Amino acid sequence: MNIGAVDHIEFYVGDAQQSAFFLCTAFGFRVCGQIGPETGCPDRRSLLLRQGGIDLVLTSALTAEHPAARYVAEHGDGVANIAFEVPDAAQAFALAVQRGATPVEEPTTHRKGDCEVVTAGVLGFGDVGHRLVQRGADRAEFLPGVMDMFAEDPDGTEHLVHTVDHAAVCLPAGQLAGTIAFYEKVFGFSVIFEEFIEVGEQAMDSQVVQSASGKITFTLIQPVAGRKPGQIDDFLARHGGAGVQHLALLADDIVAAVPALESRGVRFLETPGAYYDELEGRMGRPDLRIEDLRRTNVLVDQDHWGQVFQIFTRSLHVRDTFFWEVIDRHGARTFGSGNIKALYEAVAREKTTA
């Protein structure tokens, strides 16, 4: 199946306007379009947020029958759909269903003037769907005839982040192998990285699958049965099953992006000083200055191709589930295997010497 990049990510949320206010204020997104009663859709309110090449759709139910109402009641605010760019939505839909995917939206053509977009949808993991989107190069009309677009913001030139790098997905124990097989068979993804992680008495299995285009990446994680419950178990319990734990947004300069985001109100996790004290001895001198990494709490790891720098936000969700990651790749194509273990050990050392 010919799959391009992520077309957009749709969140189901309790209050689309409130969620949009936070993402615009803190992350620099801008509201570019809306769907609602005034556009002929009385059952929902959807807002389109854009920054760089990232399109986010925030949807709130206006009736009890809309799927967003059930989703938010069961999971709280979260990712409900990760949409894929495809050259032919009807063909991709038929092939996906033939390969075993559950259909959720028959191919539909949306038109306004000369602009045409075709969408279809299938189920992915848990109750997160994949919308298959066929559109031309012009994205001025996101969903023609359905979404009203706003005039372009003349000040919309600053991009703190610009691309969806990957989505991290938490799965119940025992579902990892089946989920990988599903993405390999239905969408032609392949495994590009795998890791068994032990943190004290906790353990988790992680495998990364990627589309043939290399533009869509899912990190799939399951807890290891029989071990002490950890953060993945906590997510599954609070979220109510499988779901997207975090989305990683790509930045060109993470050392500059982090302070800028912090000044807007984004709260990041802190990294103990011992992590940076041992960094050069663990992996050599990184591309970015250790003093800058320490100041910004940015983590660094590496694979065969280069280094990857990353930092995680604190979750602002009432269930303490979904959060964001900011990531900066210096040649790395996958993920290193040292960050979680090294960070855990650094925390332990710092507590011992405190």
Side-chain angles (χ1 to χ4, degrees):
M1 186 181 297
N2 189 359
I3 295 174
V6 172
D7 184 86
H8 65 275
I9 306 266
E10 183 174 19
F11 289 78
Y12 282 166
V13 297
D15 188 328
Q17 292 176 321
Q18 186 179 58
S19 296
F21 178 78
F22 168 75
L23 287 170
C24 292
T25 302
F27 280 88
F29 285 91
R30 291 173 172 82
V31 179
C32 296
Q34 71 168 343
I35 297 171
E38 55 275 89
T39 70
C41 299
D43 62 341
R44 70 190 189 274
R45 168 77 60 198
S46 294
L47 298 176
L48 171 65
L49 276 59
R50 282 181 163 168
Q51 181 173 185
I54 305 167
D55 281 2
L56 305 180
V57 177
L58 309 178
T59 295
S60 292
L62 300 181
T63 67
E65 291 73 30
H66 191 275
R70 179 195 60 79
Y71 181 101
V72 171
E74 184 173 349
H75 304 297
D77 294 0
V79 173
N81 203 292
I82 302 175
F84 299 162
E85 293 177 349
V86 294
D88 189 323
Q91 183 183 71
F93 173 80
L95 184 57
V97 173
Q98 178 186 333
R99 292 174 174 178
T102 300
V104 295
E105 177 191 345
E106 294 290 327
T108 304
T109 301
H110 311 276
R111 291 191 182 90
K112 182 179 180 180
D114 295 332
C115 186
E116 179 178 295
V117 173
V118 183
T119 62
V122 297
L123 191 62
F125 52 86
D127 53 8
V128 175
H130 295 306
R131 189 170 294 121
L132 307 169
V133 183
Q134 171 190 338
R135 66 171 81 243
D138 184 7
R139 299 178 69 92
E141 290 288 342
F142 181 80
L143 203 59
V146 179
M147 176 175 284
D148 282 349
M149 302 298 292
F150 302 148
E152 185 175 348
D153 190 335
D155 297 324
T157 55
E158 179 189 21
H159 296 150
L160 298 175
V161 290
H162 58 80
T163 306
V164 176
D165 184 86
H166 67 272
V169 178
C170 292
L171 302 167
Q175 292 190 13
L176 180 61
T179 303
I180 292 170
F182 171 82
Y183 280 94
E184 289 176 332
K185 178 182 178 181
V186 174
F187 298 111
F189 283 33
S190 57
V191 176
I192 63 167
F193 183 81
E194 55 186 298
E195 183 179 12
F196 178 79
I197 303 164
E198 288 186 287
V199 182
E201 298 178 56
Q202 304 167 16
M204 62 193 85
D205 279 318
S206 174
Q207 295 199 41
V208 180
V209 296
Q210 191 174 79
S211 63
S213 67
K215 296 180 178 180
I216 300 177
T217 305
F218 294 155
T219 300
L220 306 174
I221 310 166
Q222 71 172 6
V224 175
R227 293 296 191 100
K228 183 179 178 180
Q231 61 166 300
I232 307 304
D233 303 271
D234 290 344
F235 174 91
L236 294 169
R238 293 170 181 166
H239 180 78
V244 176
Q245 180 203 47
H246 70 265
L247 289 174
L249 306 180
L250 194 63
D252 286 331
D253 184 349
I254 195 169
V255 168
V258 168
L261 290 166
E262 286 180 323
S263 71
R264 292 170 169 264
V266 178
R267 297 176 62 211
F268 292 99
L269 296 179
E270 295 181 358
T271 305
Y275 174 89
Y276 301 102
D277 294 340
E278 303 294 334
L279 182 57
E280 189 169 350
R282 179 170 65 87
M283 59 168 291
R285 187 178 296 274
D287 291 348
L288 301 180
R289 296 194 324 146
I290 293 178
E291 293 80 1
D292 291 335
L293 300 179
R294 186 191 299 269
R295 173 175 53 85
T296 55
N297 290 293
V298 169
L299 306 173
V300 58
D301 220 325
Q302 60 189 2
D303 64 9
H304 294 299
W305 298 275
Q307 296 179 350
V308 56
F309 300 84
Q310 56 196 148
I311 190 170
F312 303 95
T313 71
R314 297 181 183 275
S315 176
L316 294 179
H317 286 60
V318 67
R319 299 192 186 198
D320 196 28
T321 49
F322 179 84
F323 56 91
W324 298 89
E325 174 185 351
V326 179
I327 189 168
D328 183 357
R329 293 186 178 276
H330 287 214
R333 302 179 191 175
T334 60
F335 305 90
S337 59
N339 259 346
I340 295 178
K341 183 175 176 58
L343 181 58
Y344 176 83
E345 292 175 344
V347 171
R349 279 194 300 272
E350 190 155 280
K351 287 182 177 180
T352 300
T353 58

mmCIF file with all atom_site columns, all heavy atoms in Angstrom, residues 8 20 42 44 81 115 126 128 131 136 152 164 186 191 201 256 260 273 304 328 333:
data_model
loop_
_atom_site.group_PDB
_atom_site.id
_atom_site.type_symbol
_atom_site.label_atom_id
_atom_site.label_alt_id
_atom_site.label_comp_id
_atom_site.label_asym_id
_atom_site.label_entity_id
_atom_site.label_seq_id
_atom_site.pdbx_PDB_ins_code
_atom_site.Cartn_x
_atom_site.Cartn_y
_atom_site.Cartn_z
_atom_site.occupancy
_atom_site.B_iso_or_equiv
_atom_site.pdbx_formal_charge
_atom_site.auth_seq_id
_atom_site.auth_comp_id
_atom_site.auth_asym_id
_atom_site.auth_atom_id
_atom_site.pdbx_PDB_model_num
ATOM 1   N N   . HIS A 1 8   ? -3.059  14.228 9.087  1.00 0.00 ? 8   HIS A N   1
ATOM 2   C CA  . HIS A 1 8   ? -3.453  15.002 10.261 1.00 0.00 ? 8   HIS A CA  1
ATOM 3   C C   . HIS A 1 8   ? -3.681  14.057 11.427 1.00 0.00 ? 8   HIS A C   1
ATOM 4   O O   . HIS A 1 8   ? -3.779  12.839 11.252 1.00 0.00 ? 8   HIS A O   1
ATOM 5   C CB  . HIS A 1 8   ? -4.707  15.848 9.998  1.00 0.00 ? 8   HIS A CB  1
ATOM 6   C CG  . HIS A 1 8   ? -5.948  15.038 9.742  1.00 0.00 ? 8   HIS A CG  1
ATOM 7   N ND1 . HIS A 1 8   ? -6.292  14.544 8.492  1.00 0.00 ? 8   HIS A ND1 1
ATOM 8   C CD2 . HIS A 1 8   ? -6.949  14.614 10.581 1.00 0.00 ? 8   HIS A CD2 1
ATOM 9   C CE1 . HIS A 1 8   ? -7.426  13.882 8.565  1.00 0.00 ? 8   HIS A CE1 1
ATOM 10  N NE2 . HIS A 1 8   ? -7.843  13.906 9.820  1.00 0.00 ? 8   HIS A NE2 1
ATOM 11  N N   . ALA A 1 20  ? -7.812  24.139 22.115 1.00 0.00 ? 20  ALA A N   1
ATOM 12  C CA  . ALA A 1 20  ? -7.150  24.936 21.089 1.00 0.00 ? 20  ALA A CA  1
ATOM 13  C C   . ALA A 1 20  ? -6.432  26.127 21.712 1.00 0.00 ? 20  ALA A C   1
ATOM 14  O O   . ALA A 1 20  ? -5.320  26.490 21.297 1.00 0.00 ? 20  ALA A O   1
ATOM 15  C CB  . ALA A 1 20  ? -8.164  25.417 20.059 1.00 0.00 ? 20  ALA A CB  1
ATOM 16  N N   . PRO A 1 42  ? -24.367 19.723 12.897 1.00 0.00 ? 42  PRO A N   1
ATOM 17  C CA  . PRO A 1 42  ? -24.899 20.071 14.217 1.00 0.00 ? 42  PRO A CA  1
ATOM 18  C C   . PRO A 1 42  ? -24.426 19.173 15.349 1.00 0.00 ? 42  PRO A C   1
ATOM 19  O O   . PRO A 1 42  ? -24.668 19.491 16.517 1.00 0.00 ? 42  PRO A O   1
ATOM 20  C CB  . PRO A 1 42  ? -26.414 19.938 14.022 1.00 0.00 ? 42  PRO A CB  1
ATOM 21  C CG  . PRO A 1 42  ? -26.559 18.918 12.932 1.00 0.00 ? 42  PRO A CG  1
ATOM 22  C CD  . PRO A 1 42  ? -25.394 19.148 12.011 1.00 0.00 ? 42  PRO A CD  1
ATOM 23  N N   . ARG A 1 44  ? -21.206 18.222 16.087 1.00 0.00 ? 44  ARG A N   1
ATOM 24  C CA  . ARG A 1 44  ? -19.827 18.348 16.576 1.00 0.00 ? 44  ARG A CA  1
ATOM 25  C C   . ARG A 1 44  ? -19.271 19.740 16.326 1.00 0.00 ? 44  ARG A C   1
ATOM 26  O O   . ARG A 1 44  ? -19.765 20.500 15.499 1.00 0.00 ? 44  ARG A O   1
ATOM 27  C CB  . ARG A 1 44  ? -18.919 17.321 15.905 1.00 0.00 ? 44  ARG A CB  1
ATOM 28  C CG  . ARG A 1 44  ? -18.645 17.566 14.418 1.00 0.00 ? 44  ARG A CG  1
ATOM 29  C CD  . ARG A 1 44  ? -17.939 16.374 13.821 1.00 0.00 ? 44  ARG A CD  1
ATOM 30  N NE  . ARG A 1 44  ? -17.446 16.543 12.469 1.00 0.00 ? 44  ARG A NE  1
ATOM 31  C CZ  . ARG A 1 44  ? -18.161 16.348 11.378 1.00 0.00 ? 44  ARG A CZ  1
ATOM 32  N NH1 . ARG A 1 44  ? -19.432 15.973 11.475 1.00 0.00 ? 44  ARG A NH1 1
ATOM 33  N NH2 . ARG A 1 44  ? -17.621 16.502 10.184 1.00 0.00 ? 44  ARG A NH2 1
ATOM 34  N N   . ASN A 1 81  ? -7.759  9.561  15.955 1.00 0.00 ? 81  ASN A N   1
ATOM 35  C CA  . ASN A 1 81  ? -7.517  9.200  14.566 1.00 0.00 ? 81  ASN A CA  1
ATOM 36  C C   . ASN A 1 81  ? -6.159  9.716  14.117 1.00 0.00 ? 81  ASN A C   1
ATOM 37  O O   . ASN A 1 81  ? -5.819  10.872 14.365 1.00 0.00 ? 81  ASN A O   1
ATOM 38  C CB  . ASN A 1 81  ? -8.606  9.785  13.662 1.00 0.00 ? 81  ASN A CB  1
ATOM 39  C CG  . ASN A 1 81  ? -8.736  9.016  12.351 1.00 0.00 ? 81  ASN A CG  1
ATOM 40  O OD1 . ASN A 1 81  ? -7.835  9.047  11.523 1.00 0.00 ? 81  ASN A OD1 1
ATOM 41  N ND2 . ASN A 1 81  ? -9.846  8.325  12.176 1.00 0.00 ? 81  ASN A ND2 1
ATOM 42  N N   . CYS A 1 115 ? -11.714 22.243 -5.864 1.00 0.00 ? 115 CYS A N   1
ATOM 43  C CA  . CYS A 1 115 ? -10.972 21.482 -4.862 1.00 0.00 ? 115 CYS A CA  1
ATOM 44  C C   . CYS A 1 115 ? -11.735 20.212 -4.488 1.00 0.00 ? 115 CYS A C   1
ATOM 45  O O   . CYS A 1 115 ? -12.954 20.250 -4.256 1.00 0.00 ? 115 CYS A O   1
ATOM 46  C CB  . CYS A 1 115 ? -10.736 22.337 -3.622 1.00 0.00 ? 115 CYS A CB  1
ATOM 47  S SG  . CYS A 1 115 ? -9.677  21.554 -2.392 1.00 0.00 ? 115 CYS A SG  1
ATOM 48  N N   . GLY A 1 126 ? -6.776  -0.546 19.379 1.00 0.00 ? 126 GLY A N   1
ATOM 49  C CA  . GLY A 1 126 ? -7.796  -0.095 20.328 1.00 0.00 ? 126 GLY A CA  1
ATOM 50  C C   . GLY A 1 126 ? -8.987  0.445  19.573 1.00 0.00 ? 126 GLY A C   1
ATOM 51  O O   . GLY A 1 126 ? -9.504  -0.203 18.658 1.00 0.00 ? 126 GLY A O   1
ATOM 52  N N   . VAL A 1 128 ? -8.650  3.561  18.139 1.00 0.00 ? 128 VAL A N   1
ATOM 53  C CA  . VAL A 1 128 ? -8.045  4.634  17.345 1.00 0.00 ? 128 VAL A CA  1
ATOM 54  C C   . VAL A 1 128 ? -8.117  4.253  15.876 1.00 0.00 ? 128 VAL A C   1
ATOM 55  O O   . VAL A 1 128 ? -7.728  3.146  15.482 1.00 0.00 ? 128 VAL A O   1
ATOM 56  C CB  . VAL A 1 128 ? -6.576  4.870  17.761 1.00 0.00 ? 128 VAL A CB  1
ATOM 57  C CG1 . VAL A 1 128 ? -5.920  5.909  16.854 1.00 0.00 ? 128 VAL A CG1 1
ATOM 58  C CG2 . VAL A 1 128 ? -6.512  5.309  19.209 1.00 0.00 ? 128 VAL A CG2 1
ATOM 59  N N   . ARG A 1 131 ? -7.746  7.431  9.174  1.00 0.00 ? 131 ARG A N   1
ATOM 60  C CA  . ARG A 1 131 ? -8.435  8.017  8.028  1.00 0.00 ? 131 ARG A CA  1
ATOM 61  C C   . ARG A 1 131 ? -7.478  8.037  6.848  1.00 0.00 ? 131 ARG A C   1
ATOM 62  O O   . ARG A 1 131 ? -6.320  8.447  6.972  1.00 0.00 ? 131 ARG A O   1
ATOM 63  C CB  . ARG A 1 131 ? -8.911  9.430  8.382  1.00 0.00 ? 131 ARG A CB  1
ATOM 64  C CG  . ARG A 1 131 ? -9.830  10.061 7.344  1.00 0.00 ? 131 ARG A CG  1
ATOM 65  C CD  . ARG A 1 131 ? -10.442 11.352 7.883  1.00 0.00 ? 131 ARG A CD  1
ATOM 66  N NE  . ARG A 1 131 ? -11.339 11.058 9.002  1.00 0.00 ? 131 ARG A NE  1
ATOM 67  C CZ  . ARG A 1 131 ? -11.193 11.550 10.233 1.00 0.00 ? 131 ARG A CZ  1
ATOM 68  N NH1 . ARG A 1 131 ? -10.175 12.343 10.516 1.00 0.00 ? 131 ARG A NH1 1
ATOM 69  N NH2 . ARG A 1 131 ? -12.059 11.242 11.174 1.00 0.00 ? 131 ARG A NH2 1
ATOM 70  N N   . GLY A 1 136 ? -4.903  16.877 -3.252 1.00 0.00 ? 136 GLY A N   1
ATOM 71  C CA  . GLY A 1 136 ? -3.876  17.429 -4.119 1.00 0.00 ? 136 GLY A CA  1
ATOM 72  C C   . GLY A 1 136 ? -2.804  18.132 -3.292 1.00 0.00 ? 136 GLY A C   1
ATOM 73  O O   . GLY A 1 136 ? -2.811  18.109 -2.063 1.00 0.00 ? 136 GLY A O   1
ATOM 74  N N   . GLU A 1 152 ? -5.388  33.333 6.310  1.00 0.00 ? 152 GLU A N   1
ATOM 75  C CA  . GLU A 1 152 ? -4.061  32.972 6.810  1.00 0.00 ? 152 GLU A CA  1
ATOM 76  C C   . GLU A 1 152 ? -3.527  34.053 7.740  1.00 0.00 ? 152 GLU A C   1
ATOM 77  O O   . GLU A 1 152 ? -3.654  35.244 7.477  1.00 0.00 ? 152 GLU A O   1
ATOM 78  C CB  . GLU A 1 152 ? -3.090  32.765 5.646  1.00 0.00 ? 152 GLU A CB  1
ATOM 79  C CG  . GLU A 1 152 ? -1.712  32.282 6.065  1.00 0.00 ? 152 GLU A CG  1
ATOM 80  C CD  . GLU A 1 152 ? -0.825  31.986 4.868  1.00 0.00 ? 152 GLU A CD  1
ATOM 81  O OE1 . GLU A 1 152 ? -1.348  31.947 3.745  1.00 0.00 ? 152 GLU A OE1 1
ATOM 82  O OE2 . GLU A 1 152 ? 0.385   31.804 5.080  1.00 0.00 ? 152 GLU A OE2 1
ATOM 83  N N   . VAL A 1 164 ? 5.192   15.782 12.635 1.00 0.00 ? 164 VAL A N   1
ATOM 84  C CA  . VAL A 1 164 ? 4.926   14.691 13.575 1.00 0.00 ? 164 VAL A CA  1
ATOM 85  C C   . VAL A 1 164 ? 5.982   13.616 13.339 1.00 0.00 ? 164 VAL A C   1
ATOM 86  O O   . VAL A 1 164 ? 6.010   12.981 12.280 1.00 0.00 ? 164 VAL A O   1
ATOM 87  C CB  . VAL A 1 164 ? 3.513   14.106 13.380 1.00 0.00 ? 164 VAL A CB  1
ATOM 88  C CG1 . VAL A 1 164 ? 3.306   12.911 14.309 1.00 0.00 ? 164 VAL A CG1 1
ATOM 89  C CG2 . VAL A 1 164 ? 2.450   15.163 13.642 1.00 0.00 ? 164 VAL A CG2 1
ATOM 90  N N   . VAL A 1 186 ? -1.634  -5.199 6.819  1.00 0.00 ? 186 VAL A N   1
ATOM 91  C CA  . VAL A 1 186 ? -2.626  -4.275 6.272  1.00 0.00 ? 186 VAL A CA  1
ATOM 92  C C   . VAL A 1 186 ? -1.979  -3.081 5.577  1.00 0.00 ? 186 VAL A C   1
ATOM 93  O O   . VAL A 1 186 ? -2.381  -2.683 4.485  1.00 0.00 ? 186 VAL A O   1
ATOM 94  C CB  . VAL A 1 186 ? -3.584  -3.797 7.378  1.00 0.00 ? 186 VAL A CB  1
ATOM 95  C CG1 . VAL A 1 186 ? -4.535  -2.721 6.851  1.00 0.00 ? 186 VAL A CG1 1
ATOM 96  C CG2 . VAL A 1 186 ? -4.384  -4.977 7.930  1.00 0.00 ? 186 VAL A CG2 1
ATOM 97  N N   . VAL A 1 191 ? 9.156   -3.567 10.994 1.00 0.00 ? 191 VAL A N   1
ATOM 98  C CA  . VAL A 1 191 ? 9.806   -3.295 12.273 1.00 0.00 ? 191 VAL A CA  1
ATOM 99  C C   . VAL A 1 191 ? 11.198  -2.739 12.003 1.00 0.00 ? 191 VAL A C   1
ATOM 100 O O   . VAL A 1 191 ? 11.989  -3.341 11.276 1.00 0.00 ? 191 VAL A O   1
ATOM 101 C CB  . VAL A 1 191 ? 9.898   -4.572 13.130 1.00 0.00 ? 191 VAL A CB  1
ATOM 102 C CG1 . VAL A 1 191 ? 10.677  -4.298 14.417 1.00 0.00 ? 191 VAL A CG1 1
ATOM 103 C CG2 . VAL A 1 191 ? 8.507   -5.098 13.460 1.00 0.00 ? 191 VAL A CG2 1
ATOM 104 N N   . GLU A 1 201 ? 12.150  -3.545 39.064 1.00 0.00 ? 201 GLU A N   1
ATOM 105 C CA  . GLU A 1 201 ? 11.308  -4.730 38.950 1.00 0.00 ? 201 GLU A CA  1
ATOM 106 C C   . GLU A 1 201 ? 10.299  -4.615 37.817 1.00 0.00 ? 201 GLU A C   1
ATOM 107 O O   . GLU A 1 201 ? 9.507   -5.528 37.596 1.00 0.00 ? 201 GLU A O   1
ATOM 108 C CB  . GLU A 1 201 ? 10.561  -4.953 40.277 1.00 0.00 ? 201 GLU A CB  1
ATOM 109 C CG  . GLU A 1 201 ? 11.476  -5.208 41.473 1.00 0.00 ? 201 GLU A CG  1
ATOM 110 C CD  . GLU A 1 201 ? 10.673  -5.366 42.751 1.00 0.00 ? 201 GLU A CD  1
ATOM 111 O OE1 . GLU A 1 201 ? 9.794   -6.239 42.778 1.00 0.00 ? 201 GLU A OE1 1
ATOM 112 O OE2 . GLU A 1 201 ? 10.905  -4.603 43.705 1.00 0.00 ? 201 GLU A OE2 1
ATOM 113 N N   . ALA A 1 256 ? 16.961  25.653 21.409 1.00 0.00 ? 256 ALA A N   1
ATOM 114 C CA  . ALA A 1 256 ? 16.269  26.932 21.303 1.00 0.00 ? 256 ALA A CA  1
ATOM 115 C C   . ALA A 1 256 ? 14.770  26.769 21.524 1.00 0.00 ? 256 ALA A C   1
ATOM 116 O O   . ALA A 1 256 ? 14.114  27.642 22.105 1.00 0.00 ? 256 ALA A O   1
ATOM 117 C CB  . ALA A 1 256 ? 16.523  27.558 19.935 1.00 0.00 ? 256 ALA A CB  1
ATOM 118 N N   . ALA A 1 260 ? 11.837  28.496 24.534 1.00 0.00 ? 260 ALA A N   1
ATOM 119 C CA  . ALA A 1 260 ? 10.737  29.246 23.933 1.00 0.00 ? 260 ALA A CA  1
ATOM 120 C C   . ALA A 1 260 ? 9.391   28.653 24.341 1.00 0.00 ? 260 ALA A C   1
ATOM 121 O O   . ALA A 1 260 ? 8.442   29.388 24.659 1.00 0.00 ? 260 ALA A O   1
ATOM 122 C CB  . ALA A 1 260 ? 10.875  29.239 22.407 1.00 0.00 ? 260 ALA A CB  1
ATOM 123 N N   . GLY A 1 273 ? 20.940  15.968 37.549 1.00 0.00 ? 273 GLY A N   1
ATOM 124 C CA  . GLY A 1 273 ? 22.272  16.364 37.104 1.00 0.00 ? 273 GLY A CA  1
ATOM 125 C C   . GLY A 1 273 ? 23.201  15.197 36.872 1.00 0.00 ? 273 GLY A C   1
ATOM 126 O O   . GLY A 1 273 ? 24.099  15.263 36.021 1.00 0.00 ? 273 GLY A O   1
ATOM 127 N N   . HIS A 1 304 ? 22.838  3.783  14.825 1.00 0.00 ? 304 HIS A N   1
ATOM 128 C CA  . HIS A 1 304 ? 23.953  3.595  13.890 1.00 0.00 ? 304 HIS A CA  1
ATOM 129 C C   . HIS A 1 304 ? 24.175  4.804  12.985 1.00 0.00 ? 304 HIS A C   1
ATOM 130 O O   . HIS A 1 304 ? 25.256  4.966  12.417 1.00 0.00 ? 304 HIS A O   1
ATOM 131 C CB  . HIS A 1 304 ? 23.707  2.362  13.013 1.00 0.00 ? 304 HIS A CB  1
ATOM 132 C CG  . HIS A 1 304 ? 23.702  1.072  13.777 1.00 0.00 ? 304 HIS A CG  1
ATOM 133 N ND1 . HIS A 1 304 ? 24.788  0.615  14.480 1.00 0.00 ? 304 HIS A ND1 1
ATOM 134 C CD2 . HIS A 1 304 ? 22.725  0.140  13.944 1.00 0.00 ? 304 HIS A CD2 1
ATOM 135 C CE1 . HIS A 1 304 ? 24.491  -0.544 15.053 1.00 0.00 ? 304 HIS A CE1 1
ATOM 136 N NE2 . HIS A 1 304 ? 23.239  -0.847 14.745 1.00 0.00 ? 304 HIS A NE2 1
ATOM 137 N N   . ASP A 1 328 ? 14.644  16.185 18.260 1.00 0.00 ? 328 ASP A N   1
ATOM 138 C CA  . ASP A 1 328 ? 15.539  16.801 17.282 1.00 0.00 ? 328 ASP A CA  1
ATOM 139 C C   . ASP A 1 328 ? 16.511  15.715 16.829 1.00 0.00 ? 328 ASP A C   1
ATOM 140 O O   . ASP A 1 328 ? 17.256  15.159 17.635 1.00 0.00 ? 328 ASP A O   1
ATOM 141 C CB  . ASP A 1 328 ? 16.278  17.968 17.950 1.00 0.00 ? 328 ASP A CB  1
ATOM 142 C CG  . ASP A 1 328 ? 17.182  18.733 16.988 1.00 0.00 ? 328 ASP A CG  1
ATOM 143 O OD1 . ASP A 1 328 ? 17.287  18.347 15.815 1.00 0.00 ? 328 ASP A OD1 1
ATOM 144 O OD2 . ASP A 1 328 ? 17.799  19.728 17.441 1.00 0.00 ? 328 ASP A OD2 1
ATOM 145 N N   . ARG A 1 333 ? 17.934  7.667  12.707 1.00 0.00 ? 333 ARG A N   1
ATOM 146 C CA  . ARG A 1 333 ? 16.712  7.246  12.017 1.00 0.00 ? 333 ARG A CA  1
ATOM 147 C C   . ARG A 1 333 ? 15.757  6.512  12.945 1.00 0.00 ? 333 ARG A C   1
ATOM 148 O O   . ARG A 1 333 ? 14.568  6.411  12.660 1.00 0.00 ? 333 ARG A O   1
ATOM 149 C CB  . ARG A 1 333 ? 17.065  6.335  10.840 1.00 0.00 ? 333 ARG A CB  1
ATOM 150 C CG  . ARG A 1 333 ? 17.993  6.956  9.814  1.00 0.00 ? 333 ARG A CG  1
ATOM 151 C CD  . ARG A 1 333 ? 18.293  5.954  8.703  1.00 0.00 ? 333 ARG A CD  1
ATOM 152 N NE  . ARG A 1 333 ? 19.370  6.404  7.821  1.00 0.00 ? 333 ARG A NE  1
ATOM 153 C CZ  . ARG A 1 333 ? 19.884  5.670  6.837  1.00 0.00 ? 333 ARG A CZ  1
ATOM 154 N NH1 . ARG A 1 333 ? 19.418  4.442  6.628  1.00 0.00 ? 333 ARG A NH1 1
ATOM 155 N NH2 . ARG A 1 333 ? 20.852  6.155  6.091  1.00 0.00 ? 333 ARG A NH2 1
#
